[in-house]
């Protein structure tokens, strides 16, 4: 997007300063959100952060500080894999941080480092697809503050792939175009190696698929329009770069292949029902409009999550896929594909949705049947998020780029999208506000009968509040879009700044933090669990039935108190902190030893507590 006036194009230094201010809102908001983690005073605690990844990283950090690299975690179920377990992220470069600072600080650094890198990686990809700087940054903003990406702040082993996948696509595109090939080939090798080490093989494969399809599309476009063929040297150089990246990850790959046949996953695998848990249920589309429509993950009691029936009877894998109202309107403004980048973006989004449906799409059952490799179909949302955010950048370009005066259809689609959203939220708010009995009767049909009437009333009020906030947000977006029509730099910066602020505010339940101190205080339970004692905790893996951890009274109805209670009561994932080992303590990735998993299953099958003991 080039600003012009009566005297000609704006000077480059002025444009650069203007673009810096354009980028500032998002970067400042991200730094502000991450500041307590950077300082080390707070920690993420939701889901896998402390319950799965912290104990593995604590055991690894302890070994590294002692001067050796561990093959196993000695505190989990008699010794379970670390070096060969991608879920442990054993060889990723951020592991060096455990030698430089406290374990919880280094654990959280994995998240805030990738959070700050994400917009830069996506900006690079959008620029490589040919977008101008401002639309490319708009795409980066929409991706970074999307519910999809922020949901990765609970997954230590997924956030590298979510961050680096756009960068790999960018490197492939630059390679295809012959731009800085002396740098792009090493960049491809480094990015591919980091993705392999990042801890999520499926998302690494998806990143490779996105990058490879972009490369082929770019080569095909150059051949069709200019008659340029890549020749043999380019594919050979690309293959060499990928081979070099694979060599970087070779220690982890070799160890993974060694332990896989002895693991539960390699020996038995998962059934179709287990493999398709976290399929995308079309009823989740409601959450695209009302964030956390089915309840919040950071609350207990009123407002807490209640919608398991819409998430294959489990808690959501990605806690939110809310894209934001501006993102929906910008995708509408992008219109039908007119260039290679748009075809690629729409194709990626369509493919991702098609496979993410999992058990709800009979045409894709064969991917998950008869094998134990692929699980959680919603992981295929990566192409949807990447393609959708790129479309946001294209819509932004058509609205506020140099061709904006000639693109009346894009303006019409944008305004129509805002109008439709306004009518939806206004009608829903009015119904919830003025027809409370009908609204609560309808919610009663959705919410399980185990929830009290007061919970239903609270949900009606919560939905009404979210609808009202959405109406205010739509008004602000419409006003800033009008300013952007006349003053693109100022209006565009305000528009994206409002979107980023609203997303980080509305999606705050995705990344709640708690003070570090309560998790480092030695619990009184240590006196009753000597280090030499063989211990099993039946509540953690539901050995004796449903967990009782959330039962009881807490100082506040927030989920950090459940986490604090688990640390106070010395749950298995706290064992490495105090050199305590727990038997039958298996993890969700299925790479535990087969006998350990079978022993745990046998104990669950026995109904007599005396026989269990």
């Amino acid at each position: 997007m080039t600003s012009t006036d009566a005297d000609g194009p704006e000077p480059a230094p002025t444009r650069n300063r203007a673009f810096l201010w354009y980028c500032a809102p998002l970067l400042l908001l991200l730094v502000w959100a991450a500041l307590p983690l950077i300082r080390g005073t707070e920690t993420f605690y939701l889901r896998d952060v402390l319950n799965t990844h912290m104990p593995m990283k604590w055991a690894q950090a302890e070994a590294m500080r002692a001067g050796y690299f561990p093959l196993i975690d000695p505190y989990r179920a008699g010794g379970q894999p670390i070096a060969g377990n991608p879920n442990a992220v054993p060889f990723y470069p951020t592991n060096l941080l455990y030698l430089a600072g406290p374990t919880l600080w280094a654990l959280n650094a994995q998240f805030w480092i990738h959070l700050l890198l994400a917009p830069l990686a996506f900006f690079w990809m959008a620029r490589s697809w040919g977008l101008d700087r401002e639309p490319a940054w708009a795409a980066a903003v929409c991706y970074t503050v999307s519910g999809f990406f922020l949901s990765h702040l609970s997954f230590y082993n997924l956030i590298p792939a979510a961050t680096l996948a756009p960068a790999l696509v960018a490197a492939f595109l630059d390679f295809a175009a012959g731009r800085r090939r002396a740098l792009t080939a090493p960049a491809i090798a480094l990015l591919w190696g980091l993705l392999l080490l990042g801890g999520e093989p499926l998302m690494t494969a998806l990143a490779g698929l996105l990058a490879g399809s972009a490369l082929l599309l770019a080569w095909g476009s150059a051949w069709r329009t200019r008659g340029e063929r890549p020749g043999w040297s380019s594919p050979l150089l690309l293959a060499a770069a990928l081979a070099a990246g694979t060599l970087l990850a070779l220690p982890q790959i070799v160890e993974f292949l060694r332990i896989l046949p002895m693991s539960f996953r390699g020996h038995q695998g998962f059934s179709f029902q287990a493999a398709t848990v976290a399929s995308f249920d079309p009823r989740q589309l409601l959450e695209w409009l009302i964030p956390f429509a089915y309840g919040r993950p950071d609350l207990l009691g009123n407002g807490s999550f209640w919608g398991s029936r819409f998430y294959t009877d489990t808690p959501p894998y990605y806690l939110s896929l809310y894209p934001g109202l501006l993102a929906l309107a910008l995708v509408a403004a992008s219109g039908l594909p007119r260039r290679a980048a748009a075809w690629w973006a729409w194709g990626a989004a369509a493919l991702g949705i098609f496979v993410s449906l999992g058990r709800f799409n009979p045409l894709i059952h064969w991917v998950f049947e008869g094998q134990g490799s692929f699980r959680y179909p919603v992981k295929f949302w990566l192409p949807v998020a990447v393609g959708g955010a790129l479309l946001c950048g294209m819509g932004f370009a058509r609205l506020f780029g140099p061709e904006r005066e000639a693109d009346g259809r894009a303006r019409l689609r944008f305004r129509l999208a805002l109008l439709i959203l306004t009518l939806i939220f206004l009608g829903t708010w009015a119904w919830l506000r003025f027809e409370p009995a009908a609204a609560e009767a309808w919610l009663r049909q959705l919410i399980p009968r185990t929830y009290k009437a007061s919970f239903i009333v609270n949900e009606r009020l919560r939905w009404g509040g979210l609808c009202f906030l959405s109406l205010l947000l739509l008004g602000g977006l419409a006003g800033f879009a009008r300013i952007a029509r006349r003053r693109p730099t100022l209006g565009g910066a305000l528009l994206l700044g409002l979107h980023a602020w609203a997303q980080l505010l509305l999606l705050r339940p995705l990344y709640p933090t708690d003070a570090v101190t309560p998790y480092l205080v030695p619990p009184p339970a240590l006196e009753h669990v000597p280090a030499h004692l063989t211990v099993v905790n039946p509540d953690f893996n539901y050995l004796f039935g449903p967990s009782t951890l959330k039962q009881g009274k807490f100082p506040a109805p927030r989920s950090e108190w459940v986490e604090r209670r688990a640390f106070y009561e010395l749950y298995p994932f706290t064992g490495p902190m105090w050199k305590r080992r727990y038997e039958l303590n298996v993890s969700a990735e299925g790479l535990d030893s087969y006998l350990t998993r079978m022993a745990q299953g046998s104990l669950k099958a026995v109904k007599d507590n005396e026989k269990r003991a």
Side-chain angles (χ1 to χ4, degrees):
M1 180 168 59
T2 304
S3 299
T4 60
D5 53 31
D7 298 323
E10 193 175 6
T14 304
R15 281 203 69 207
N16 291 336
R17 285 196 298 270
F19 183 67
L20 180 62
W21 284 108
Y22 207 89
C23 300
L26 175 66
L27 297 178
L28 290 174
L29 286 168
L30 294 181
V31 170
W32 179 257
L35 192 58
L37 308 174
I38 298 171
R39 294 171 56 197
T41 58
E42 296 186 11
T43 177
F44 290 135
Y45 66 85
L46 208 59
R47 291 181 53 161
D48 286 17
V49 178
L50 296 184
N51 297 356
T52 298
H53 290 104
M54 186 279 292
M56 290 190 286
K57 302 316 295 182
W58 197 286
Q60 181 178 350
E62 181 183 88
M64 291 169 60
R65 290 165 187 158
Y68 69 94
F69 192 89
L71 291 179
I72 63 170
D73 174 0
Y75 300 107
R76 186 161 65 87
Q80 297 297 317
I82 279 187
N85 185 352
N87 201 36
V89 197
F91 295 96
Y92 200 70
T94 50
N95 284 298
L96 295 175
L97 295 175
Y98 291 95
L99 300 176
T103 300
L104 285 181
W105 174 82
L107 179 84
N108 285 281
Q110 172 87 340
F111 296 104
W112 60 259
I113 288 173
H114 288 93
L115 179 64
L116 297 178
L117 286 176
L120 305 180
F122 205 96
F123 176 75
W124 179 18
M125 189 197 79
R127 290 287 285 158
S128 297
W129 272 119
L131 272 65
D132 288 338
R133 291 193 300 179
E134 287 79 0
W137 187 254
V141 171
C142 290
Y143 181 74
T144 304
V145 297
S146 66
F148 168 80
F149 186 81
L150 293 179
S151 290
H152 287 83
L153 295 177
S154 294
F155 293 114
Y156 189 96
N157 64 317
L158 300 189
I159 197 167
T163 301
L164 299 177
L168 185 71
V169 175
F172 269 56
L173 287 170
D174 287 353
F175 182 87
R179 291 188 289 265
R180 302 181 297 276
R181 184 159 291 185
L183 296 176
T184 53
I188 288 172
L190 178 61
L191 289 167
W192 182 244
L194 290 174
L195 282 163
L196 290 172
L197 294 173
E200 180 41 56
L202 177 56
M203 290 183 68
T204 298
L206 287 174
L209 176 64
L210 290 172
S213 61
L215 177 86
L216 293 176
L217 191 61
W219 274 346
S221 179
W223 187 4
R224 185 177 62 255
T225 58
R226 299 188 300 273
E228 298 177 0
R229 300 185 181 184
W232 284 106
S233 60
S234 294
L236 290 175
L237 181 58
L238 179 63
L242 293 173
T246 304
L247 285 175
L248 289 175
L250 196 59
Q252 181 172 305
I253 294 171
V254 169
E255 181 63 11
F256 169 74
L257 294 176
R258 186 184 73 82
I259 63 109
L260 181 62
M262 297 178 285
S263 70
F264 170 81
R265 193 164 189 164
H267 191 85
Q268 179 166 317
F270 299 98
S271 67
F272 174 76
Q273 287 300 315
T276 55
V277 164
S279 296
F280 178 72
D281 187 328
R283 292 174 293 183
Q284 295 171 25
L285 287 170
L286 175 63
E287 207 263 338
W288 289 15
L289 297 176
I290 301 177
F292 306 110
Y294 299 113
R296 290 172 45 168
D298 63 328
L299 293 180
L300 306 173
N302 286 344
S304 61
F305 178 74
W306 52 265
S308 293
R309 59 183 286 199
F310 306 111
Y311 292 85
T312 60
D313 296 317
T314 60
Y317 189 81
Y318 290 133
L319 294 174
S320 177
L321 293 177
Y322 179 70
L325 303 181
L326 177 63
L328 294 173
L330 288 177
V331 170
S334 68
L336 297 175
R338 300 188 300 183
R339 49 190 290 192
W343 282 107
W344 181 85
W346 279 111
L351 174 66
I353 293 175
F354 183 78
V355 182
S356 292
L357 287 168
R359 68 173 63 168
F360 300 102
N361 181 0
L363 299 178
I364 208 66
H365 280 190
W366 60 273
V367 173
F368 303 97
E369 288 177 336
Q371 52 79 41
S373 300
F374 293 140
R375 280 200 304 165
Y376 307 134
V378 79
K379 285 184 181 180
F380 284 84
W381 206 260
L382 176 65
V384 184
V386 172
L390 186 60
L391 290 172
C392 289
M394 295 176 190
F396 194 91
R398 297 183 71 170
L399 288 170
F400 311 118
E403 70 276 13
R404 62 186 183 275
E405 297 300 336
D407 206 341
R409 292 184 178 180
R411 292 200 304 275
L412 178 61
R413 288 191 296 269
F414 183 77
R415 292 170 180 170
L416 186 60
L418 293 183
L419 176 60
I420 291 174
L421 290 170
T422 300
L423 293 175
I424 291 173
F425 287 117
L426 183 60
T428 304
W429 175 82
W431 181 61
L432 294 168
R433 174 67 177 82
F434 297 110
E435 294 290 339
E440 289 171 15
W442 180 75
L443 285 170
R444 178 76 278 178
Q445 296 177 6
L446 296 180
I447 298 174
R449 292 289 175 181
T450 53
Y451 290 87
K452 298 179 180 180
S454 59
F455 188 93
I456 308 296
V457 174
N458 185 80
E459 282 301 278
R460 178 181 64 82
L461 296 174
R462 190 175 68 87
W463 279 27
L466 289 170
C467 288
F468 187 75
L469 284 175
S470 298
L471 287 170
L472 295 179
L473 178 58
L474 286 167
L477 294 174
F480 288 155
R482 189 174 183 84
I483 294 174
R485 291 291 305 150
R486 299 177 181 178
R487 302 183 63 183
T489 299
L490 174 62
L494 291 172
L495 194 67
L496 296 180
L498 176 61
H499 175 66
W501 173 79
Q503 288 291 103
L504 292 174
L505 176 67
L506 291 171
L507 298 179
R508 177 63 177 161
L510 290 180
Y511 57 100
T513 59
D514 193 13
V516 167
T517 303
Y519 301 101
L520 299 178
V521 176
L526 284 172
E527 298 179 5
H528 306 286
V529 186
H532 64 275
L533 198 66
T534 300
V535 178
V536 172
N537 185 309
D539 201 59
F540 179 56
N541 281 314
Y542 320 121
L543 299 183
F544 290 7
S547 173
T548 61
L549 183 62
K550 293 185 179 181
Q551 298 177 10
K553 295 183 179 180
F554 295 92
R558 297 192 303 270
S559 57
E560 69 262 28
W561 287 103
V562 174
E563 200 68 27
R564 288 188 182 191
R565 176 183 176 180
F567 272 70
Y568 185 80
E569 295 182 358
L570 202 62
Y571 266 58
F573 45 82
T574 69
M577 300 176 66
W578 315 111
K579 299 186 185 300
R580 299 303 195 269
R581 189 177 82 187
Y582 284 80
E583 302 301 335
L584 305 183
N585 176 26
V586 300
S587 290
E589 76 275 354
L591 291 176
D592 305 279
S593 65
Y594 178 73
L595 290 178
T596 298
R597 182 64 71 100
M598 290 298 98
Q600 187 210 56
S602 299
L603 192 64
K604 286 183 177 182
V606 176
K607 301 303 181 184
D608 183 82
N609 284 343
E610 186 174 342
K611 291 181 179 179
R612 285 168 169 160

